[in-house]
Amino acid sequence: MKTDPKPDTLEVEPLALEGGAPVRTTPLPLEFPGMHYLDQAEIEAVVRVLKSRSLFRYYGIDLQAEVLAFEREFAEFIGVKHALAVSSGSAALQTALSALGVGPGQEVIVPAYLWVAVVAAVVNLGAIPVLADIDDSFTLDPREVETHITPRTVGMIAVHMSGAPANVPALLEIARQRRLFLLEDCAQCAGGSIGGKKVGSLGDMAIFSFQMNKNMSSGEGGCVVTNDQHLYQRAVAAHDNGYARDEAGRAIYDNLDLCLWGRGCRLDELRGAILRVQLEKLPEIIRHMRESKYRIRRALEAFPQVHLRRIVDRDGDTGAFLILTFDRPSEARKTQQALRAEGIATSSQGITNVVMTDWGLHIYSNIVSLVRKTSTDRRGFPWSLAENRDSKVQYAKGTCPFADSLFERSILLTIPSCLTPDDEDDILQAFRKVLAR
Ligand SMILES: Cc1ncc(COP(=O)(O)O)c(C=O)c1O
């Protein structure tokens, strides 16, 4: 293992921002963890499916049943009874919330740091998302959740943000006491864990995304998991044509609780085949990111002006992101700009090294349609529904003050799954140069 010099042994070099030579002139590798590991194995898996001329999961000329096999393998990996593959993480959220029966007159608690799809799923079902503040783990603060529970609250969505787990045990306790559901959003944390249990295995249901920028990926794709057979069957109905299926794959018409309205977001066999290969590679992808991240984190511990994100369970961190917080917004901005000048950036397709207020639709107050309560229909669904009239919610900046303060004082770096020791050296050297000031 490499050891890195202590900050007090370093000479002060001129910063690139001030005309000095940058540490690096070639862009850092792009994020997209699963994609860096895509090779002949995925290609062969896809070709096998194409040759079978059977791209649909439920029937085919020579059905390979790749999606079904992936679901079984993924359920075993996560440690749950049921997995249902779907076409995206957004579809997984809507499928799970449909299975849970979310609708008008209900509130669902969501964190201030999330992805727009989380609130979209609640709003699309006619319910009201209620923001709760985060803590220094950048995930839902259980104390804040308590204060936002109303008679209309039906559940909460714990989002395992930026590669590391949320405090699910504490949230689960509240959920059990207050009879609420807990849906885990593991889109950014596939393969992560808490207390040795995989994220996705702790709540009532969980969702995953296999979009291009996730720990394992088929370009697009998602999954819903649960231990509850009834919720699973409702999810099957919601993701397909509205009807659940029995063990033999036949539609069930005689149980009205399993007759929903379908969203048509099934996963296809090509992606199912890719995901089976990616799942095998996931532990290695995570190992690589964790090693890079914790080498950089350890070195940064020597700088007292840097506050590293609190990680709920370090052993369960997938390592995909590094977040550092400063005392003042100006320090965060200056550090980010100085690092960028030193070459700590990717090509334009990537997004490493941003002040978190610029982290797009992950930040509640950047989601214009939420702040302005826009609607897809002219009558203002769901905000204007009579059932929702008692939900007096706000989403503008200031709603979650701790999150607001964290976002403007923090910078976020992506940790690609293919960083070399030389790349890490450059990142460390740039940090040392910049932080020595
Ligand atoms: C936390 C979170 N939830 C849900 C999603 C939605 O996934 P998808 O892009 O596959 O629809 C994402 C995707 O970025 C995400 O980061």
Side-chain angles (χ1 to χ4, degrees), residues 88-91 93 114-115 117-118 159 161 185 187-188 207 209-211 214 220-221 362:
S88 71
S90 304
L93 281 162
L114 40 50
W115 174 244
V118 176
V159 190
M161 284 303 285
D185 180 335
Q188 299 193 6
I207 72 97
S209 162
F210 305 126
Q211 178 266 344
K214 302 300 186 291
E220 293 275 15
H362 294 100

Side-chain angles (χ1 to χ4, degrees), residues 34-35 37-46 48-49 52 57 62-77 83 85 210 215-223 267-285:
M35 287 295 122
Y37 279 70
L38 199 145
D39 60 18
Q40 197 57 28
E42 282 87 345
I43 294 169
E44 280 166 18
V46 167
R48 191 175 64 239
V49 173
S52 76
R57 71 164 295 172
D62 176 19
L63 185 61
Q64 305 291 300
E66 296 284 346
V67 174
L68 184 65
F70 168 68
E71 289 171 342
R72 290 187 176 146
E73 289 156 9
F74 195 64
E76 193 184 337
F77 175 78
F210 305 126
N215 292 351
M216 55 180 278
S217 176
S218 46
E220 293 275 15
C223 200
L267 192 74
D268 62 90
E269 287 283 283
L270 292 169
R271 288 184 182 82
I274 294 172
L275 288 172
R276 292 184 70 192
V277 182
Q278 286 268 302
L279 180 58
E280 281 182 17
K281 297 175 177 178
L282 183 61
E284 176 54 22
I285 294 170

Side-chain angles (χ1 to χ4, degrees), residues 4 12 17 71 103 114 144 146 170 279 291 310 334 381 436:
D4 299 302
V12 177
L17 261 188
E71 289 171 342
L114 40 50
E144 285 292 314
E146 297 255 28
L279 180 58
E291 273 187 24
R310 180 169 65 79
K334 263 200 246 157
F381 174 93

